[in-house]
């Protein structure tokens, strides 16, 4: 996570929805660790993470420490961690799941439109890296795609995507999302509850 400017601010709803989705997408055989969180974000996420029954989703753990401190504490070496970086030279491949890497690292950062390359901060730490194609994905989509490639062995270019989809709420209201998503049944896969949240958010912006 990037530095929290206001440490008393609650984690925004959309972040909660994305983070919970990351745990579901990773599945019960994985662990998802959220690092470099303020004390209040850590507390919020820790109580949020009690929401899934055991066996339903990945274990979710919130940490105040940064990723390097966590790796040191767990004895994880840099070359076993794959940074998912849109600017990496190599694409992620199914073989990357066969022991080459033990952990996959995602930037817990806002997707700017246009992207501002904030993954560059993690790149600077020297992790080996892989890209998931040229278009920025939401962090939960990036995790889901990583899992499809390294666990389910589906090559990156065989996954069905939609770029910059328009989410339609009704005949008059819609919103365009500036990301690439995985498609299921013709629709982008959003975190459960995100559709409703986007609609509430849209209405609030007109609520003076
Ligand atoms: N706007 C951000 C930037 O400029 O770096 C990207 C934010 S993206 C919402 C959050 C994280 O998802 C990235 O830090 C990266 O780890 C992962 N990600 C998203 N799209 C990706 C892609 N096409 N290739 C590799 N990683 C990606």
């Amino acid at each position: 996570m990037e530095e929290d400017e206001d440490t008393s601010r609650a984690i925004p709803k959309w972040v909660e929805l994305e983070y919970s989705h990351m745990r579901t997408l990773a599945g019960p055989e994985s662990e998802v660790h959220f690092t470099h969180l303020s004390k209040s974000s850590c507390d919020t996420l820790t109580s949020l993470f009690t929401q899934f029954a055991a066996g339903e989703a990945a274990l979710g753990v919130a940490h105040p420490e940064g990723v390097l401190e966590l790796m040191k504490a767990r004895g994880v070496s840099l070359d076993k961690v794959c940074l998912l970086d849109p600017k990496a030279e190599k694409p992620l491949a199914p073989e990357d799941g066969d022991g080459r890497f033990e952990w996959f690292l995602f930037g817990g950062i806002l997707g700017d439109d246009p992207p501002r390359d904030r993954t560059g901060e993690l790149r600077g730490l020297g992790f080996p890296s892989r890209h998931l194609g040229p278009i920025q994905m939401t962090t939960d989509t990036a995790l889901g795609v990583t899992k499809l490639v390294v666990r389910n062995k589906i090559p990156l270019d065989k996954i069905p995507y939609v770029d910059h989809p328009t989410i339609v709420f009704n005949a008059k209201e819609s919103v365009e999302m500036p990301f690439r998503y995985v498609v299921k049944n013709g629709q982008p896969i959003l975190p459960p509850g995100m559709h409703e949240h986007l609609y509430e958010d849209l209405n609030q912006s007109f609520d003076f």
Side-chain angles (χ1 to χ4, degrees):
M1 285 285 284
E2 285 182 307
E3 204 76 61
D4 234 350
E5 278 158 27
D6 173 4
T7 48
S8 64
R9 191 185 55 197
I11 289 198
K13 180 76 182 167
W14 68 267
V15 173
E16 284 192 19
L17 296 174
E18 276 200 9
Y19 283 12
S20 296
H21 199 210
M22 286 167 78
R23 292 184 55 208
T24 325
L25 291 169
E29 68 283 3
S30 302
E31 294 178 10
V32 184
H33 293 264
F34 299 85
T35 59
H36 199 237
L37 295 159
S38 66
K39 165 96 177 66
S40 63
S41 299
C42 240
D43 292 347
T44 311
L45 285 182
T46 302
S47 61
L48 176 77
F49 288 162
T50 55
Q51 72 183 184
F52 290 114
E56 216 182 349
L59 176 76
V61 192
H63 301 269
E65 301 89 10
V67 65
L68 293 180
E69 288 166 82
L70 185 65
M71 285 164 55
K72 195 170 172 203
R74 292 186 153 225
V76 176
S77 65
L78 204 72
D79 63 312
K80 286 289 175 193
V81 179
C82 175
L83 171 65
L84 280 303
D85 179 0
K87 293 203 174 221
E89 271 178 29
K90 288 191 190 173
L92 186 71
E95 312 80 81
D96 290 322
D98 300 336
R100 167 70 184 88
F101 297 113
E102 288 170 6
W103 294 91
F104 293 89
L105 176 63
F106 305 86
I109 47 186
L110 201 61
D112 308 282
D113 179 33
R116 282 196 289 149
D117 187 29
R118 296 195 290 174
T119 311
E121 264 191 56
L122 289 167
R123 186 184 313 130
L125 300 177
F127 292 101
S129 61
R130 299 286 187 267
H131 71 75
L132 301 170
I135 311 223
Q136 78 166 335
M137 299 172 176
T138 58
T139 315
D140 58 318
T141 303
L143 184 149
V145 168
T146 299
K147 162 111 186 254
L148 290 175
V149 175
V150 300
R151 278 268 167 77
N152 301 17
K153 306 291 179 203
I154 305 177
L156 205 49
D157 59 0
K158 295 282 179 285
I159 298 170
Y161 305 109
V162 58
D163 297 338
H164 304 178
T166 298
I167 313 290
V168 178
F169 303 112
N170 53 49
K172 289 190 181 142
E173 294 167 296
S174 62
V175 63
E176 192 189 280
M177 305 299 288
F179 303 103
R180 169 171 283 185
Y181 292 88
V182 175
V183 170
K184 195 175 174 189
N185 302 327
Q187 294 298 321
I189 303 181
L190 299 179
M194 187 64 92
H195 193 281
E196 297 77 1
H197 171 67
L198 290 171
Y199 188 49
E200 276 165 29
D201 212 39
L202 185 74
N203 284 330
Q204 264 172 20
S205 20
F206 295 108
D207 206 6
F208 295 105

